[in-house]
Amino acid sequence: MGAEPTGSKPMGAGPMGAGPMGAGPMGAGPMGAGPMDWPAYYDAQAGRSARSVLVEALRRRGDTPAGAAIDLGCGEGTETRHLLRAGWRVLAFDADPGAKDLVQRGLHPAELGRLAFGQARFEDLPELPPADLVYAGFALPFCDPAAFPGLWADIRAALKPGAWFAGELFGPHDDWAGRAEMNFHDRAEVESLLAGLEIHSLVEDDRPGQSAMGPRHWHVFHIIARNPS
């Protein structure tokens, strides 16, 4: 995935995000600058906190017991490990063949027993199983535009009654808008994608900022939504 904005913002605050599933380990670099060194990028992610969009989604669930979660584009695994340590069973996907070892770092045997990992690009994902939570942090924009409608339909189908979605989509003002291998959506399109879900938080972040690759303009929608019971 591309890098998350640095600096303070309403949702998703913290260091940059994980790598994309769709782009693969040598995916899109900044502004067409060429392949990106995802292993080095993941190393730079080590030690960061779980992103606030996930933390807030979990808070909004209240006392509901942990269940089955899917982490799409898990990267080096910060959010997957956060879920496992909170008692969740997690199916994590990433395109990078090195991601599995990174995700498993520091996990106890009981946590490893609740983890399943799949190496796949967004375009090649198997059918997603029913889930109580689907998390996709700064990853979905890297799905090929032609494949995105099917991916989104699979995500919606995987949400059990009462299940939650948390993640990000990119808007048309983003510096990467227009890249043929990525998908972008304006606010009306994002709201259309979320039709039928209970929108608990939809924060639009449209501003200049920083990334792991230097200054850029971010246009990001931070989403927390729930499938009605």
Side-chain angles (χ1 to χ4, degrees), residues 6-120:
T6 60
S8 61
K9 57 184 171 58
M11 295 293 300
M16 283 66 68
M21 285 185 55
M26 295 301 288
M31 297 301 292
M36 181 165 172
D37 184 353
W38 289 117
Y41 183 75
Y42 293 155
D43 287 345
Q45 298 295 295
R48 67 172 175 83
S49 300
R51 296 193 189 97
S52 60
V53 71
L54 174 63
V55 174
E56 177 63 13
L58 295 177
R59 186 192 70 80
R60 289 173 184 252
R61 294 183 75 253
D63 296 329
T64 305
I70 299 172
D71 187 352
L72 296 173
C74 64
E76 46 74 44
T78 294
E79 283 69 36
T80 294
R81 290 189 295 273
H82 184 84
L83 289 165
L84 290 167
R85 288 164 180 159
W88 289 78
R89 303 183 307 278
V90 183
L91 173 58
F93 286 100
D94 203 272
D96 187 342
K100 182 177 181 179
D101 289 340
L102 295 176
V103 171
Q104 292 178 342
R105 285 182 182 174
L107 293 177
H108 298 301
E111 294 164 343
L112 286 168
R114 287 185 276 106
L115 170 66
F117 178 85
Q119 181 189 342

Side-chain angles (χ1 to χ4, degrees), residues 1-2 20 22-23 122-123 138-144 176 181-183:
M1 192 235 21
F122 279 136
E123 297 82 1
F138 288 84
L140 295 182
F142 293 88
C143 178
D144 184 277
W176 286 344
E181 71 276 17
M182 296 177 64
N183 65 86

Side-chain angles (χ1 to χ4, degrees), residues 22 138 159 203 224:
F138 288 84
L159 294 172
V203 176
I224 299 174

Side-chain angles (χ1 to χ4, degrees), residues 141 168-179 182-190 203-206 216-222:
E168 281 81 22
L169 293 169
F170 285 3
H173 303 155
D174 194 272
D175 265 351
W176 286 344
R179 296 182 68 102
M182 296 177 64
N183 65 86
F184 301 86
H185 309 272
D186 62 24
R187 189 176 187 92
E189 291 169 336
V190 171
V203 176
E204 185 173 359
D205 192 12
D206 189 355
R216 70 188 299 279
H217 189 95
W218 291 99
H219 191 190
V220 184
F221 295 93
H222 306 278

